[in-house]
mmCIF file of all heavy atoms in Angstrom:
data_model
loop_
_atom_site.group_PDB
_atom_site.id
_atom_site.type_symbol
_atom_site.label_atom_id
_atom_site.label_comp_id
_atom_site.label_asym_id
_atom_site.label_seq_id
_atom_site.Cartn_x
_atom_site.Cartn_y
_atom_site.Cartn_z
ATOM 1 N N HIS A 53 -7.837 -27.634 62.547
ATOM 2 C CA HIS A 53 -9.048 -28.355 62.929
ATOM 3 C C HIS A 53 -9.894 -28.673 61.707
ATOM 4 O O HIS A 53 -10.449 -29.772 61.590
ATOM 5 C CB HIS A 53 -9.852 -27.510 63.934
ATOM 6 C CG HIS A 53 -9.268 -27.538 65.316
ATOM 7 N ND1 HIS A 53 -9.428 -28.606 66.167
ATOM 8 C CD2 HIS A 53 -8.529 -26.609 65.990
ATOM 9 C CE1 HIS A 53 -8.819 -28.355 67.327
ATOM 10 N NE2 HIS A 53 -8.255 -27.143 67.244
ATOM 11 N N GLN A 54 -9.973 -27.711 60.790
ATOM 12 C CA GLN A 54 -10.751 -27.969 59.576
ATOM 13 C C GLN A 54 -10.119 -29.082 58.753
ATOM 14 O O GLN A 54 -10.810 -29.961 58.232
ATOM 15 C CB GLN A 54 -10.849 -26.688 58.737
ATOM 16 C CG GLN A 54 -11.679 -25.593 59.399
ATOM 17 C CD GLN A 54 -11.675 -24.316 58.593
ATOM 18 O OE1 GLN A 54 -11.044 -24.257 57.555
ATOM 19 N NE2 GLN A 54 -12.338 -23.290 59.110
ATOM 20 N N ARG A 55 -8.793 -29.053 58.625
ATOM 21 C CA ARG A 55 -8.125 -30.097 57.865
ATOM 22 C C ARG A 55 -8.298 -31.444 58.535
ATOM 23 O O ARG A 55 -8.420 -32.473 57.879
ATOM 24 C CB ARG A 55 -6.635 -29.756 57.702
ATOM 25 C CG ARG A 55 -6.353 -28.739 56.611
ATOM 26 C CD ARG A 55 -4.893 -28.737 56.233
ATOM 27 N NE ARG A 55 -4.042 -28.296 57.337
ATOM 28 C CZ ARG A 55 -3.682 -27.029 57.537
ATOM 29 N NH1 ARG A 55 -4.109 -26.082 56.729
ATOM 30 N NH2 ARG A 55 -2.905 -26.705 58.551
ATOM 31 N N SER A 56 -8.297 -31.412 59.877
ATOM 32 C CA SER A 56 -8.506 -32.682 60.573
ATOM 33 C C SER A 56 -9.895 -33.222 60.293
ATOM 34 O O SER A 56 -10.079 -34.425 60.095
ATOM 35 C CB SER A 56 -8.292 -32.495 62.079
ATOM 36 O OG SER A 56 -9.259 -31.607 62.625
ATOM 37 N N GLU A 57 -10.897 -32.310 60.245
ATOM 38 C CA GLU A 57 -12.241 -32.763 59.925
ATOM 39 C C GLU A 57 -12.307 -33.277 58.491
ATOM 40 O O GLU A 57 -12.939 -34.299 58.205
ATOM 41 C CB GLU A 57 -13.227 -31.613 60.126
ATOM 42 C CG GLU A 57 -13.383 -31.192 61.592
ATOM 43 C CD GLU A 57 -14.303 -29.992 61.747
ATOM 44 O OE1 GLU A 57 -14.775 -29.517 60.686
ATOM 45 O OE2 GLU A 57 -14.525 -29.553 62.872
ATOM 46 N N ILE A 58 -11.626 -32.567 57.577
ATOM 47 C CA ILE A 58 -11.606 -33.017 56.176
ATOM 48 C C ILE A 58 -10.912 -34.365 56.072
ATOM 49 O O ILE A 58 -11.362 -35.274 55.361
ATOM 50 C CB ILE A 58 -10.902 -31.965 55.292
ATOM 51 C CG1 ILE A 58 -11.736 -30.693 55.244
ATOM 52 C CG2 ILE A 58 -10.674 -32.504 53.885
ATOM 53 C CD1 ILE A 58 -11.073 -29.540 54.527
ATOM 54 N N THR A 59 -9.805 -34.501 56.801
ATOM 55 C CA THR A 59 -9.095 -35.775 56.783
ATOM 56 C C THR A 59 -9.976 -36.889 57.307
ATOM 57 O O THR A 59 -9.986 -38.009 56.782
ATOM 58 C CB THR A 59 -7.817 -35.665 57.621
ATOM 59 O OG1 THR A 59 -7.022 -34.611 57.117
ATOM 60 C CG2 THR A 59 -7.034 -36.975 57.556
ATOM 61 N N MET A 60 -10.767 -36.536 58.336
ATOM 62 C CA MET A 60 -11.683 -37.538 58.877
ATOM 63 C C MET A 60 -12.712 -37.938 57.833
ATOM 64 O O MET A 60 -13.012 -39.121 57.646
ATOM 65 C CB MET A 60 -12.379 -36.978 60.131
ATOM 66 C CG MET A 60 -13.277 -38.001 60.844
ATOM 67 S SD MET A 60 -14.122 -37.242 62.239
ATOM 68 C CE MET A 60 -12.722 -36.725 63.226
ATOM 69 N N ASN A 61 -13.227 -36.938 57.074
ATOM 70 C CA ASN A 61 -14.202 -37.242 56.032
ATOM 71 C C ASN A 61 -13.569 -38.052 54.901
ATOM 72 O O ASN A 61 -14.192 -38.948 54.334
ATOM 73 C CB ASN A 61 -14.794 -35.949 55.468
ATOM 74 C CG ASN A 61 -15.655 -35.222 56.505
ATOM 75 O OD1 ASN A 61 -16.188 -35.844 57.418
ATOM 76 N ND2 ASN A 61 -15.738 -33.905 56.374
ATOM 77 N N VAL A 62 -12.308 -37.699 54.578
ATOM 78 C CA VAL A 62 -11.618 -38.444 53.532
ATOM 79 C C VAL A 62 -11.476 -39.899 53.921
ATOM 80 O O VAL A 62 -11.737 -40.823 53.141
ATOM 81 C CB VAL A 62 -10.246 -37.804 53.236
ATOM 82 C CG1 VAL A 62 -9.396 -38.732 52.382
ATOM 83 C CG2 VAL A 62 -10.423 -36.463 52.551
ATOM 84 N N HIS A 63 -11.066 -40.126 55.181
ATOM 85 C CA HIS A 63 -10.893 -41.507 55.624
ATOM 86 C C HIS A 63 -12.218 -42.222 55.714
ATOM 87 O O HIS A 63 -12.263 -43.459 55.590
ATOM 88 C CB HIS A 63 -10.168 -41.534 56.974
ATOM 89 C CG HIS A 63 -8.702 -41.238 56.856
ATOM 90 N ND1 HIS A 63 -7.793 -42.143 56.355
ATOM 91 C CD2 HIS A 63 -7.985 -40.116 57.171
ATOM 92 C CE1 HIS A 63 -6.572 -41.615 56.369
ATOM 93 N NE2 HIS A 63 -6.669 -40.375 56.872
ATOM 94 N N LEU A 64 -13.301 -41.468 55.936
ATOM 95 C CA LEU A 64 -14.608 -42.112 55.928
ATOM 96 C C LEU A 64 -15.007 -42.521 54.523
ATOM 97 O O LEU A 64 -15.680 -43.534 54.330
ATOM 98 C CB LEU A 64 -15.657 -41.164 56.521
ATOM 99 C CG LEU A 64 -15.570 -40.902 58.028
ATOM 100 C CD1 LEU A 64 -16.607 -39.885 58.447
ATOM 101 C CD2 LEU A 64 -15.739 -42.204 58.821
ATOM 102 N N LYS A 65 -14.589 -41.748 53.489
ATOM 103 C CA LYS A 65 -14.921 -42.095 52.105
ATOM 104 C C LYS A 65 -14.077 -43.252 51.600
ATOM 105 O O LYS A 65 -14.539 -44.072 50.805
ATOM 106 C CB LYS A 65 -14.727 -40.877 51.193
ATOM 107 C CG LYS A 65 -15.722 -39.759 51.451
ATOM 108 C CD LYS A 65 -15.472 -38.583 50.533
ATOM 109 C CE LYS A 65 -16.477 -37.453 50.818
ATOM 110 N NZ LYS A 65 -16.238 -36.283 49.954
ATOM 111 N N VAL A 66 -12.837 -43.309 52.026
ATOM 112 C CA VAL A 66 -11.954 -44.384 51.586
ATOM 113 C C VAL A 66 -12.254 -45.617 52.425
ATOM 114 O O VAL A 66 -11.972 -45.651 53.623
ATOM 115 C CB VAL A 66 -10.473 -43.981 51.703
ATOM 116 C CG1 VAL A 66 -9.588 -45.139 51.279
ATOM 117 C CG2 VAL A 66 -10.187 -42.742 50.866
ATOM 118 N N GLN A 67 -12.831 -46.616 51.807
ATOM 119 C CA GLN A 67 -13.211 -47.849 52.471
ATOM 120 C C GLN A 67 -12.198 -48.945 52.150
ATOM 121 O O GLN A 67 -11.390 -48.824 51.210
ATOM 122 C CB GLN A 67 -14.616 -48.256 52.019
ATOM 123 C CG GLN A 67 -15.699 -47.231 52.354
ATOM 124 C CD GLN A 67 -15.868 -47.034 53.848
ATOM 125 O OE1 GLN A 67 -15.759 -47.993 54.633
ATOM 126 N NE2 GLN A 67 -16.103 -45.803 54.259
ATOM 127 N N PRO A 68 -12.244 -50.018 52.931
ATOM 128 C CA PRO A 68 -11.287 -51.115 52.672
ATOM 129 C C PRO A 68 -11.391 -51.696 51.266
ATOM 130 O O PRO A 68 -10.378 -52.085 50.680
ATOM 131 C CB PRO A 68 -11.654 -52.146 53.750
ATOM 132 C CG PRO A 68 -12.249 -51.343 54.849
ATOM 133 C CD PRO A 68 -12.985 -50.226 54.183
ATOM 134 N N HIS A 69 -12.611 -51.768 50.722
ATOM 135 C CA HIS A 69 -12.712 -52.347 49.375
ATOM 136 C C HIS A 69 -12.108 -51.414 48.323
ATOM 137 O O HIS A 69 -11.739 -51.860 47.238
ATOM 138 C CB HIS A 69 -14.174 -52.658 49.030
ATOM 139 C CG HIS A 69 -15.040 -51.435 48.926
ATOM 140 N ND1 HIS A 69 -15.681 -50.873 50.024
ATOM 141 C CD2 HIS A 69 -15.376 -50.665 47.853
ATOM 142 C CE1 HIS A 69 -16.378 -49.817 49.633
ATOM 143 N NE2 HIS A 69 -16.214 -49.665 48.325
ATOM 144 N N HIS A 70 -11.998 -50.123 48.632
ATOM 145 C CA HIS A 70 -11.269 -49.222 47.723
ATOM 146 C C HIS A 70 -9.781 -49.508 47.750
ATOM 147 O O HIS A 70 -9.108 -49.468 46.712
ATOM 148 C CB HIS A 70 -11.523 -47.763 48.103
ATOM 149 C CG HIS A 70 -12.938 -47.321 47.858
ATOM 150 N ND1 HIS A 70 -13.608 -46.465 48.701
ATOM 151 C CD2 HIS A 70 -13.824 -47.631 46.882
ATOM 152 C CE1 HIS A 70 -14.826 -46.253 48.259
ATOM 153 N NE2 HIS A 70 -14.983 -46.963 47.142
ATOM 154 N N LEU A 71 -9.287 -49.789 48.986
ATOM 155 C CA LEU A 71 -7.852 -50.024 49.110
ATOM 156 C C LEU A 71 -7.432 -51.347 48.490
ATOM 157 O O LEU A 71 -6.248 -51.548 48.199
ATOM 158 C CB LEU A 71 -7.458 -49.995 50.593
ATOM 159 C CG LEU A 71 -7.695 -48.662 51.320
ATOM 160 C CD1 LEU A 71 -7.384 -48.796 52.794
ATOM 161 C CD2 LEU A 71 -6.846 -47.561 50.695
ATOM 162 N N GLU A 72 -8.381 -52.243 48.302
ATOM 163 C CA GLU A 72 -8.035 -53.510 47.673
ATOM 164 C C GLU A 72 -7.795 -53.353 46.170
ATOM 165 O O GLU A 72 -7.145 -54.199 45.562
ATOM 166 C CB GLU A 72 -9.166 -54.521 47.900
ATOM 167 C CG GLU A 72 -9.333 -54.914 49.365
ATOM 168 C CD GLU A 72 -10.528 -55.823 49.563
ATOM 169 O OE1 GLU A 72 -11.230 -56.072 48.546
ATOM 170 O OE2 GLU A 72 -10.755 -56.270 50.690
ATOM 171 N N ARG A 73 -8.309 -52.294 45.583
ATOM 172 C CA ARG A 73 -8.107 -52.054 44.155
ATOM 173 C C ARG A 73 -6.986 -51.039 43.939
ATOM 174 O O ARG A 73 -6.465 -50.465 44.884
ATOM 175 C CB ARG A 73 -9.410 -51.548 43.525
ATOM 176 C CG ARG A 73 -10.506 -52.619 43.488
ATOM 177 C CD ARG A 73 -11.785 -52.088 42.855
ATOM 178 N NE ARG A 73 -12.533 -51.228 43.780
ATOM 179 C CZ ARG A 73 -13.669 -50.617 43.455
ATOM 180 N NH1 ARG A 73 -14.168 -50.750 42.224
ATOM 181 N NH2 ARG A 73 -14.299 -49.862 44.334
ATOM 182 N N GLY A 74 -6.657 -50.821 42.674
ATOM 183 C CA GLY A 74 -5.535 -49.963 42.354
ATOM 184 C C GLY A 74 -5.881 -48.484 42.427
ATOM 185 O O GLY A 74 -7.046 -48.082 42.393
ATOM 186 N N ALA A 75 -4.831 -47.664 42.526
ATOM 187 C CA ALA A 75 -4.957 -46.205 42.509
ATOM 188 C C ALA A 75 -4.341 -45.704 41.199
ATOM 189 O O ALA A 75 -3.141 -45.882 40.967
ATOM 190 C CB ALA A 75 -4.264 -45.582 43.708
ATOM 191 N N TYR A 76 -5.164 -45.093 40.368
ATOM 192 C CA TYR A 76 -4.734 -44.665 39.034
ATOM 193 C C TYR A 76 -4.425 -43.177 39.074
ATOM 194 O O TYR A 76 -5.275 -42.352 39.413
ATOM 195 C CB TYR A 76 -5.823 -44.952 38.004
ATOM 196 C CG TYR A 76 -5.905 -46.402 37.609
ATOM 197 C CD1 TYR A 76 -6.467 -47.345 38.461
ATOM 198 C CD2 TYR A 76 -5.409 -46.836 36.389
ATOM 199 C CE1 TYR A 76 -6.533 -48.680 38.108
ATOM 200 C CE2 TYR A 76 -5.479 -48.169 36.018
ATOM 201 C CZ TYR A 76 -6.037 -49.089 36.880
ATOM 202 O OH TYR A 76 -6.101 -50.411 36.517
ATOM 203 N N LEU A 77 -3.189 -42.840 38.688
ATOM 204 C CA LEU A 77 -2.735 -41.454 38.634
ATOM 205 C C LEU A 77 -2.614 -41.060 37.161
ATOM 206 O O LEU A 77 -1.787 -41.614 36.428
ATOM 207 C CB LEU A 77 -1.386 -41.296 39.343
ATOM 208 C CG LEU A 77 -0.717 -39.915 39.244
ATOM 209 C CD1 LEU A 77 -1.617 -38.827 39.791
ATOM 210 C CD2 LEU A 77 0.629 -39.920 39.962
ATOM 211 N N TYR A 78 -3.463 -40.129 36.710
ATOM 212 C CA TYR A 78 -3.472 -39.698 35.311
ATOM 213 C C TYR A 78 -2.732 -38.376 35.203
ATOM 214 O O TYR A 78 -3.055 -37.398 35.897
ATOM 215 C CB TYR A 78 -4.911 -39.540 34.814
ATOM 216 C CG TYR A 78 -5.002 -39.165 33.352
ATOM 217 C CD1 TYR A 78 -4.863 -40.125 32.362
ATOM 218 C CD2 TYR A 78 -5.213 -37.846 32.963
ATOM 219 C CE1 TYR A 78 -4.954 -39.795 31.023
ATOM 220 C CE2 TYR A 78 -5.296 -37.506 31.627
ATOM 221 C CZ TYR A 78 -5.166 -38.484 30.654
ATOM 222 O OH TYR A 78 -5.243 -38.145 29.327
ATOM 223 N N ILE A 79 -1.731 -38.346 34.321
ATOM 224 C CA ILE A 79 -0.868 -37.171 34.145
ATOM 225 C C ILE A 79 -0.945 -36.746 32.688
ATOM 226 O O ILE A 79 -0.796 -37.571 31.782
ATOM 227 C CB ILE A 79 0.589 -37.491 34.544
ATOM 228 C CG1 ILE A 79 0.648 -37.878 36.033
ATOM 229 C CG2 ILE A 79 1.503 -36.323 34.241
ATOM 230 C CD1 ILE A 79 2.004 -38.344 36.474
ATOM 231 N N ARG A 80 -1.172 -35.455 32.451
ATOM 232 C CA ARG A 80 -1.283 -34.942 31.089
ATOM 233 C C ARG A 80 -0.951 -33.464 31.063
ATOM 234 O O ARG A 80 -1.271 -32.730 32.001
ATOM 235 C CB ARG A 80 -2.702 -35.140 30.548
ATOM 236 C CG ARG A 80 -2.860 -34.719 29.079
ATOM 237 C CD ARG A 80 -4.323 -34.665 28.698
ATOM 238 N NE ARG A 80 -5.052 -33.638 29.448
ATOM 239 C CZ ARG A 80 -5.054 -32.357 29.141
ATOM 240 N NH1 ARG A 80 -4.343 -31.915 28.106
ATOM 241 N NH2 ARG A 80 -5.730 -31.481 29.863
ATOM 242 N N GLN A 81 -0.280 -33.056 29.981
ATOM 243 C CA GLN A 81 -0.086 -31.650 29.654
ATOM 244 C C GLN A 81 -0.433 -31.454 28.182
ATOM 245 O O GLN A 81 -0.229 -32.348 27.356
ATOM 246 C CB GLN A 81 1.356 -31.208 29.941
ATOM 247 C CG GLN A 81 1.644 -31.102 31.447
ATOM 248 C CD GLN A 81 3.078 -30.742 31.749
ATOM 249 O OE1 GLN A 81 3.927 -31.613 31.747
ATOM 250 N NE2 GLN A 81 3.327 -29.461 32.004
ATOM 251 N N SER A 82 -0.932 -30.272 27.846
ATOM 252 C CA SER A 82 -1.609 -30.091 26.568
ATOM 253 C C SER A 82 -0.681 -30.087 25.373
ATOM 254 O O SER A 82 -1.104 -30.427 24.268
ATOM 255 C CB SER A 82 -2.419 -28.783 26.581
ATOM 256 O OG SER A 82 -3.401 -28.838 27.592
ATOM 257 N N SER A 83 0.568 -29.700 25.521
ATOM 258 C CA SER A 83 1.469 -29.608 24.380
ATOM 259 C C SER A 83 2.859 -30.047 24.807
ATOM 260 O O SER A 83 3.192 -30.071 25.994
ATOM 261 C CB SER A 83 1.510 -28.172 23.820
ATOM 262 O OG SER A 83 2.036 -27.273 24.782
ATOM 263 N N MET A 84 3.658 -30.379 23.801
ATOM 264 C CA MET A 84 5.029 -30.797 24.094
ATOM 265 C C MET A 84 5.853 -29.634 24.625
ATOM 266 O O MET A 84 6.802 -29.838 25.385
ATOM 267 C CB MET A 84 5.679 -31.363 22.824
ATOM 268 C CG MET A 84 5.047 -32.665 22.345
ATOM 269 S SD MET A 84 4.999 -33.953 23.625
ATOM 270 C CE MET A 84 6.744 -34.140 23.960
ATOM 271 N N ARG A 85 5.489 -28.446 24.262
ATOM 272 C CA ARG A 85 6.202 -27.291 24.806
ATOM 273 C C ARG A 85 5.984 -27.183 26.304
ATOM 274 O O ARG A 85 6.909 -26.897 27.068
ATOM 275 C CB ARG A 85 5.734 -26.021 24.095
ATOM 276 C CG ARG A 85 6.428 -24.759 24.578
ATOM 277 C CD ARG A 85 5.982 -23.560 23.773
ATOM 278 N NE ARG A 85 6.651 -22.342 24.221
ATOM 279 C CZ ARG A 85 6.441 -21.142 23.700
ATOM 280 N NH1 ARG A 85 5.578 -21.014 22.694
ATOM 281 N NH2 ARG A 85 7.086 -20.087 24.163
ATOM 282 N N GLN A 86 4.742 -27.443 26.746
ATOM 283 C CA GLN A 86 4.484 -27.435 28.183
ATOM 284 C C GLN A 86 5.222 -28.563 28.885
ATOM 285 O O GLN A 86 5.692 -28.405 30.019
ATOM 286 C CB GLN A 86 2.976 -27.558 28.425
ATOM 287 C CG GLN A 86 2.171 -26.365 27.952
ATOM 288 C CD GLN A 86 0.690 -26.533 28.227
ATOM 289 O OE1 GLN A 86 0.280 -27.517 28.815
ATOM 290 N NE2 GLN A 86 -0.101 -25.567 27.768
ATOM 291 N N VAL A 87 5.310 -29.712 28.220
ATOM 292 C CA VAL A 87 6.026 -30.830 28.828
ATOM 293 C C VAL A 87 7.490 -30.475 29.051
ATOM 294 O O VAL A 87 8.084 -30.822 30.078
ATOM 295 C CB VAL A 87 5.883 -32.086 27.944
ATOM 296 C CG1 VAL A 87 6.726 -33.226 28.477
ATOM 297 C CG2 VAL A 87 4.430 -32.508 27.864
ATOM 298 N N VAL A 88 8.064 -29.765 28.080
ATOM 299 C CA VAL A 88 9.490 -29.431 28.180
ATOM 300 C C VAL A 88 9.720 -28.262 29.126
ATOM 301 O O VAL A 88 10.658 -28.278 29.943
ATOM 302 C CB VAL A 88 10.043 -29.115 26.771
ATOM 303 C CG1 VAL A 88 11.494 -28.648 26.862
ATOM 304 C CG2 VAL A 88 9.936 -30.342 25.880
ATOM 305 N N GLU A 89 8.864 -27.236 29.068
ATOM 306 C CA GLU A 89 9.119 -26.009 29.816
ATOM 307 C C GLU A 89 8.438 -25.991 31.186
ATOM 308 O O GLU A 89 9.023 -25.520 32.158
ATOM 309 C CB GLU A 89 8.660 -24.803 28.986
ATOM 310 C CG GLU A 89 9.426 -24.645 27.671
ATOM 311 C CD GLU A 89 8.952 -23.448 26.880
ATOM 312 O OE1 GLU A 89 7.996 -22.788 27.349
ATOM 313 O OE2 GLU A 89 9.531 -23.169 25.813
ATOM 314 N N ASN A 90 7.215 -26.470 31.308
ATOM 315 C CA ASN A 90 6.480 -26.427 32.582
ATOM 316 C C ASN A 90 6.788 -27.683 33.400
ATOM 317 O O ASN A 90 5.957 -28.584 33.546
ATOM 318 C CB ASN A 90 4.978 -26.310 32.321
ATOM 319 C CG ASN A 90 4.628 -25.044 31.557
ATOM 320 O OD1 ASN A 90 5.477 -24.172 31.365
ATOM 321 N ND2 ASN A 90 3.400 -24.947 31.112
ATOM 322 N N VAL A 91 7.987 -27.726 33.923
ATOM 323 C CA VAL A 91 8.428 -28.917 34.665
ATOM 324 C C VAL A 91 7.734 -29.001 36.018
ATOM 325 O O VAL A 91 7.438 -30.096 36.515
ATOM 326 C CB VAL A 91 9.961 -28.894 34.826
ATOM 327 C CG1 VAL A 91 10.453 -30.147 35.531
ATOM 328 C CG2 VAL A 91 10.632 -28.747 33.472
ATOM 329 N N GLU A 92 7.449 -27.865 36.635
ATOM 330 C CA GLU A 92 6.836 -27.870 37.964
ATOM 331 C C GLU A 92 5.439 -28.480 37.929
ATOM 332 O O GLU A 92 5.025 -29.158 38.873
ATOM 333 C CB GLU A 92 6.779 -26.443 38.513
ATOM 334 C CG GLU A 92 8.137 -25.858 38.847
ATOM 335 C CD GLU A 92 8.866 -26.687 39.908
ATOM 336 O OE1 GLU A 92 8.172 -27.240 40.791
ATOM 337 O OE2 GLU A 92 10.092 -26.778 39.830
ATOM 338 N N SER A 93 4.719 -28.247 36.862
ATOM 339 C CA SER A 93 3.393 -28.840 36.764
ATOM 340 C C SER A 93 3.474 -30.354 36.746
ATOM 341 O O SER A 93 2.677 -31.045 37.384
ATOM 342 C CB SER A 93 2.697 -28.336 35.502
ATOM 343 O OG SER A 93 1.442 -28.949 35.348
ATOM 344 N N ALA A 94 4.451 -30.883 36.020
ATOM 345 C CA ALA A 94 4.619 -32.337 36.006
ATOM 346 C C ALA A 94 5.002 -32.853 37.384
ATOM 347 O O ALA A 94 4.526 -33.909 37.825
ATOM 348 C CB ALA A 94 5.671 -32.723 34.966
ATOM 349 N N ARG A 95 5.853 -32.127 38.117
ATOM 350 C CA ARG A 95 6.246 -32.569 39.459
ATOM 351 C C ARG A 95 5.047 -32.572 40.394
ATOM 352 O O ARG A 95 4.904 -33.481 41.225
ATOM 353 C CB ARG A 95 7.338 -31.646 39.991
ATOM 354 C CG ARG A 95 8.677 -31.791 39.275
ATOM 355 C CD ARG A 95 9.693 -30.808 39.822
ATOM 356 N NE ARG A 95 10.971 -30.940 39.125
ATOM 357 C CZ ARG A 95 12.021 -30.146 39.336
ATOM 358 N NH1 ARG A 95 11.920 -29.125 40.213
ATOM 359 N NH2 ARG A 95 13.136 -30.334 38.675
ATOM 360 N N ARG A 96 4.195 -31.579 40.309
ATOM 361 C CA ARG A 96 3.003 -31.538 41.163
ATOM 362 C C ARG A 96 2.084 -32.723 40.876
ATOM 363 O O ARG A 96 1.479 -33.288 41.792
ATOM 364 C CB ARG A 96 2.250 -30.233 40.932
ATOM 365 C CG ARG A 96 2.968 -29.000 41.450
ATOM 366 C CD ARG A 96 2.178 -27.751 41.087
ATOM 367 N NE ARG A 96 0.838 -27.795 41.689
ATOM 368 C CZ ARG A 96 -0.157 -27.008 41.292
ATOM 369 N NH1 ARG A 96 0.021 -26.160 40.272
ATOM 370 N NH2 ARG A 96 -1.332 -27.087 41.897
ATOM 371 N N GLN A 97 1.982 -33.080 39.595
ATOM 372 C CA GLN A 97 1.114 -34.210 39.265
ATOM 373 C C GLN A 97 1.706 -35.522 39.770
ATOM 374 O O GLN A 97 0.977 -36.368 40.323
ATOM 375 C CB GLN A 97 0.903 -34.273 37.742
ATOM 376 C CG GLN A 97 0.160 -33.064 37.183
ATOM 377 C CD GLN A 97 -0.109 -33.191 35.698
ATOM 378 O OE1 GLN A 97 -0.846 -34.075 35.277
ATOM 379 N NE2 GLN A 97 0.488 -32.288 34.915
ATOM 380 N N TYR A 98 3.009 -35.714 39.596
ATOM 381 C CA TYR A 98 3.621 -36.948 40.095
ATOM 382 C C TYR A 98 3.612 -37.000 41.621
ATOM 383 O O TYR A 98 3.654 -38.090 42.208
ATOM 384 C CB TYR A 98 5.060 -37.067 39.577
ATOM 385 C CG TYR A 98 5.158 -37.537 38.150
ATOM 386 C CD1 TYR A 98 5.508 -36.656 37.126
ATOM 387 C CD2 TYR A 98 4.908 -38.861 37.817
ATOM 388 C CE1 TYR A 98 5.601 -37.080 35.816
ATOM 389 C CE2 TYR A 98 5.002 -39.298 36.508
ATOM 390 C CZ TYR A 98 5.354 -38.404 35.512
ATOM 391 O OH TYR A 98 5.440 -38.833 34.214
ATOM 392 N N ALA A 99 3.566 -35.823 42.296
ATOM 393 C CA ALA A 99 3.562 -35.795 43.765
ATOM 394 C C ALA A 99 2.274 -36.338 44.362
ATOM 395 O O ALA A 99 2.210 -36.598 45.571
ATOM 396 C CB ALA A 99 3.806 -34.365 44.251
ATOM 397 N N LEU A 100 1.235 -36.525 43.550
ATOM 398 C CA LEU A 100 -0.011 -37.091 44.059
ATOM 399 C C LEU A 100 0.150 -38.536 44.495
ATOM 400 O O LEU A 100 -0.732 -39.088 45.167
ATOM 401 C CB LEU A 100 -1.104 -36.990 42.988
ATOM 402 C CG LEU A 100 -1.588 -35.570 42.642
ATOM 403 C CD1 LEU A 100 -2.620 -35.626 41.529
ATOM 404 C CD2 LEU A 100 -2.183 -34.899 43.870
ATOM 405 N N ARG A 101 1.233 -39.168 44.149
ATOM 406 C CA ARG A 101 1.494 -40.524 44.651
ATOM 407 C C ARG A 101 1.548 -40.535 46.173
ATOM 408 O O ARG A 101 1.060 -41.470 46.824
ATOM 409 C CB ARG A 101 2.808 -41.057 44.078
ATOM 410 C CG ARG A 101 2.827 -41.285 42.587
ATOM 411 C CD ARG A 101 4.215 -41.700 42.116
ATOM 412 N NE ARG A 101 4.631 -42.943 42.760
ATOM 413 C CZ ARG A 101 4.521 -44.139 42.213
ATOM 414 N NH1 ARG A 101 3.996 -44.262 40.989
ATOM 415 N NH2 ARG A 101 4.919 -45.209 42.851
ATOM 416 N N GLY A 102 2.138 -39.458 46.715
ATOM 417 C CA GLY A 102 2.204 -39.377 48.181
ATOM 418 C C GLY A 102 0.824 -39.298 48.814
ATOM 419 O O GLY A 102 0.592 -39.857 49.898
ATOM 420 N N ARG A 103 -0.131 -38.618 48.160
ATOM 421 C CA ARG A 103 -1.494 -38.553 48.680
ATOM 422 C C ARG A 103 -2.109 -39.945 48.712
ATOM 423 O O ARG A 103 -2.821 -40.309 49.666
ATOM 424 C CB ARG A 103 -2.340 -37.630 47.804
ATOM 425 C CG ARG A 103 -1.904 -36.176 47.798
ATOM 426 C CD ARG A 103 -2.395 -35.455 49.057
ATOM 427 N NE ARG A 103 -3.834 -35.472 49.152
ATOM 428 C CZ ARG A 103 -4.644 -34.573 48.554
ATOM 429 N NH1 ARG A 103 -4.104 -33.607 47.806
ATOM 430 N NH2 ARG A 103 -5.947 -34.638 48.710
ATOM 431 N N ALA A 104 -1.864 -40.726 47.680
ATOM 432 C CA ALA A 104 -2.426 -42.075 47.642
ATOM 433 C C ALA A 104 -1.820 -42.959 48.723
ATOM 434 O O ALA A 104 -2.519 -43.745 49.381
ATOM 435 C CB ALA A 104 -2.189 -42.684 46.261
#
Side-chain angles (χ1 to χ4, degrees):
H53 283 283
Q54 293 176 359
R55 281 196 295 269
S56 64
E57 293 176 359
I58 293 174
T59 303
M60 185 183 300
N61 293 334
V62 168
H63 285 286
L64 290 176
K65 292 179 181 179
V66 178
Q67 299 297 323
H69 65 273
H70 292 142
L71 298 175
E72 294 175 357
R73 292 180 283 178
Y76 283 75
L77 174 58
Y78 183 80
I79 298 174
R80 184 192 64 81
Q81 288 177 278
S82 299
S83 64
M84 293 306 300
R85 181 176 180 181
Q86 294 181 3
V87 174
V88 175
E89 297 180 357
N90 299 351
V91 183
E92 291 300 326
S93 177
R95 290 178 181 175
R96 291 176 60 196
Q97 296 184 64
Y98 282 107
L100 292 177
R101 294 175 60 97
R103 296 281 300 275

